Amino acid sequence: MKIKNRQQFLAIIAIAGIALLAADKLVISPLQGSWKARADRIAELKKSITQASVLLDREQVIRQRWEWMRTNTLSNNMSSAESEVFNAFYRWAQDSRISISSIKPQWKRNDDYMTYECRTDAFGNMGALTRFLYEVEKDPMALKVEAIEITSRDNNGQQLSLGLQLSGLMINPPPEGTP
């Protein structure tokens, strides 16, 4: 091979290498990045569609559950809501044969709802306390058990003390200042 042909050949190879490098940096890499981003977005959208389909399939069940929860919230009258909760406590205590020593209610107001927090102290034996907690949980009134404390009142553990904190929800409460 002659030197001139060899120099031209090497120059063509060098130019082709630079052209390939430029094509990789300017065309191929950006295209691969956009294809990967598009594939990730498509996978994300497919996942969203699957989740939406599951929600649509369960729509009736979810709506029924929400309606049940909404109808079992505390009534919109604060005094009747309090009396509902007090009556429920005394009904549960009577059914389980425990003694309630104190009930301390407190209302907390938020923008669109109010919560009724109630701390109760009671005492009885293990069977009575478990029956009381069962009655609280199975009652249709929408009350949430926030905290439970059980301590022994005697050395044998036959008499137990129960500290129970519940909260109830009032949706669309009356305006502030209304009883």
Side-chain angles (χ1 to χ4, degrees):
M1 206 180 226
K2 294 185 181 176
I3 290 183
K4 190 167 182 161
N5 287 342
R6 194 166 126 199
Q7 286 177 343
Q8 286 177 346
F9 178 70
L10 289 175
I12 290 171
I13 291 178
I15 291 171
I18 291 172
L20 285 174
L21 184 64
D24 179 50
K25 295 293 182 190
L26 298 175
V27 177
I28 296 171
S29 292
L31 283 177
Q32 284 178 335
S34 69
W35 287 335
K36 183 177 180 344
R38 183 175 293 147
D40 292 344
R41 178 74 175 142
I42 289 170
E44 181 183 313
L45 290 172
K46 283 182 180 179
K47 183 179 176 184
S48 292
I49 288 171
T50 303
Q51 288 175 342
S53 296
V54 168
L55 280 176
L56 284 173
D57 291 342
R58 296 192 59 229
E59 175 188 14
Q60 188 173 8
V61 172
I62 292 170
R63 287 190 185 278
Q64 287 173 347
R65 177 76 172 143
W66 169 248
E67 185 62 26
W68 180 85
M69 289 169 53
R70 192 183 61 75
T71 57
N72 288 318
T73 59
L74 298 174
S75 65
N76 285 352
N77 184 333
M78 291 172 63
S79 60
S80 68
E82 286 179 1
S83 69
E84 286 176 34
V85 174
F86 283 127
N87 290 337
F89 269 113
Y90 289 117
R91 186 178 68 247
W92 300 329
Q94 188 176 23
D95 291 346
S96 62
R97 296 189 184 109
I98 67 166
S99 299
I100 294 179
S101 56
S102 70
I103 299 175
K104 299 172 189 154
Q106 179 181 5
W107 284 100
K108 291 191 177 181
R109 182 176 285 275
N110 292 317
D111 293 336
D112 297 334
Y113 64 93
M114 288 178 67
T115 55
Y116 181 69
E117 294 183 357
C118 195
R119 166 78 183 182
T120 304
D121 294 317
F123 58 92
N125 61 26
M126 179 61 85
L129 291 183
T130 55
R131 178 65 185 194
F132 178 78
L133 292 173
Y134 172 77
E135 294 293 332
V136 169
E137 283 294 319
K138 82 169 187 140
D139 197 273
M141 189 181 307
L143 295 174
K144 177 182 176 188
V145 175
E146 298 285 344
I148 298 174
E149 301 166 5
I150 298 177
T151 56
S152 176
R153 294 182 68 171
D154 62 2
N155 290 336
N156 298 330
Q158 296 300 314
Q159 281 296 313
L160 300 172
S161 176
L162 171 72
L164 178 67
Q165 184 170 340
L166 298 174
S167 66
L169 180 65
M170 178 189 289
I171 300 175
N172 300 324
E176 212 165 328
T178 306

